[in-house]
Amino acid sequence: MTSKEYEKRFEGAYSLLVEAHSFFFVWRALQKKEYEHYWRGTGNFWNAVISSLNHSWMLALAKIYEESRYSKRDEVISIYSLVEHQADTARKIEAKRLLAKRKGLFKNLKSIRNRLLAHNNAKHRADPKVLFQKYPIKYVEVEALFEMTEELFHLLHPQSNHSLSMEGFNEKCGKDVEVIMKKMKFWEDELLKHHKRLEKGEPYSDFPPKP
């Protein structure tokens, strides 16, 4: 693999990492019990959003860490493909050491990806709980994996001196969710005030007002 091709593939893998971060940390921020109140009346929308985010971060991580005959032949962009072409021997060795620490989690992600996310395995589609019991994914391990993944991208970066950083990105995902939920709360509060005005006998008016 040429250095130019390696750089291009590294950028593709890093782009997928950014997506995975967004999917997971937005999904995690939406798990607050207090937010369920604002889903009333729009359950179909929020069920679709939360389910899609949950599937998306697992699928993205499974792609990033794909170890298969395709990664060995450089037919897919994954960390396992990139690490074999890292020219810096010291960084390559350290990257492989980190990868070895998470073999169990990678296996579970791959199994869920193959049996549920990418393919409709009849047994596990009918009862997904069986699959997650056999191949458990603990979210504290996922958060640790994201930290390790960023470290891996530092080690696999085409340049030894670079400015790659995701500092503050995870927190920003959570704050973005807070902003959206505050807007929803404001809307609900205004709607409640509107109903109370009508109950007091004020003339009927649409909410929100028609343009």
Side-chain angles (χ1 to χ4, degrees):
M1 185 184 297
T2 65
S3 58
K4 187 174 182 180
E5 179 63 21
Y6 180 90
E7 184 174 349
K8 185 177 180 180
R9 289 183 178 226
F10 176 89
E11 290 173 356
Y14 184 70
S15 177
L16 185 58
L17 171 64
V18 173
E19 290 181 9
H21 266 263
S22 296
F23 296 145
F24 178 78
F25 287 98
V26 168
W27 171 84
R28 189 187 70 170
L30 283 169
Q31 302 307 304
K32 288 185 179 180
K33 191 73 175 177
E34 64 198 76
Y35 292 158
E36 293 181 8
H37 168 75
Y38 303 109
W39 302 349
R40 295 174 186 173
T42 55
N44 290 334
F45 171 81
W46 285 108
N47 285 337
V49 168
I50 292 173
S51 177
S52 295
L53 289 170
N54 191 29
H55 288 179
S56 294
W57 69 256
M58 283 191 282
L59 190 56
L61 282 177
K63 288 179 179 179
I64 290 171
Y65 285 103
E66 178 172 345
E67 184 182 20
S68 64
R69 63 180 183 272
Y70 303 109
S71 63
K72 290 176 182 176
R73 296 199 297 254
D74 296 327
E75 293 178 5
V76 296
I77 297 175
S78 79
I79 282 181
Y80 278 99
S81 174
L82 289 172
V83 72
E84 295 301 330
H85 297 280
Q86 170 55 276
D88 187 318
T89 302
R91 289 198 287 159
K92 180 177 181 177
I93 291 172
E94 178 61 13
K96 286 189 172 184
R97 186 190 69 80
L98 289 177
L99 285 170
K101 292 170 60 177
R102 301 288 177 180
K103 280 282 189 178
L105 182 54
F106 298 155
K107 176 185 175 182
N108 292 353
L109 282 168
K110 180 180 180 179
S111 296
I112 291 169
R113 181 257 181 205
N114 289 345
R115 292 169 171 80
L116 188 65
L117 302 179
H119 306 286
N120 267 328
N121 178 283
K123 176 183 177 180
H124 296 125
R125 174 57 66 181
D127 190 3
K129 288 182 180 179
V130 173
L131 181 64
F132 284 96
Q133 287 171 354
K134 187 174 182 180
Y135 303 104
I137 294 180
K138 297 178 181 179
Y139 298 118
V140 65
E141 292 182 353
V142 174
E143 292 183 29
L145 176 58
F146 273 112
E147 291 181 9
M148 190 191 83
T149 305
E150 184 177 353
E151 187 176 353
L152 278 166
F153 274 93
H154 283 291
L155 292 169
L156 296 176
H157 198 286
Q159 307 297 327
S160 57
N161 294 317
H162 57 82
S163 58
L164 183 150
S165 175
M166 297 193 72
E167 184 178 355
F169 183 82
N170 302 341
E171 291 77 9
K172 181 64 168 59
C173 288
K175 288 179 180 178
D176 285 351
V177 170
E178 289 181 9
V179 169
I180 295 298
M181 290 305 174
K182 284 179 181 179
K183 290 181 178 181
M184 291 185 67
K185 182 179 185 304
F186 175 79
W187 180 273
E188 290 251 336
D189 290 345
E190 290 300 305
L191 178 59
L192 181 60
K193 291 176 185 177
H194 176 72
H195 287 163
K196 287 184 177 180
R197 287 194 295 268
L198 295 180
E199 290 172 0
K200 290 180 180 179
E202 292 187 16
Y204 176 81
S205 60
D206 292 316
F207 185 86
K210 292 182 178 179

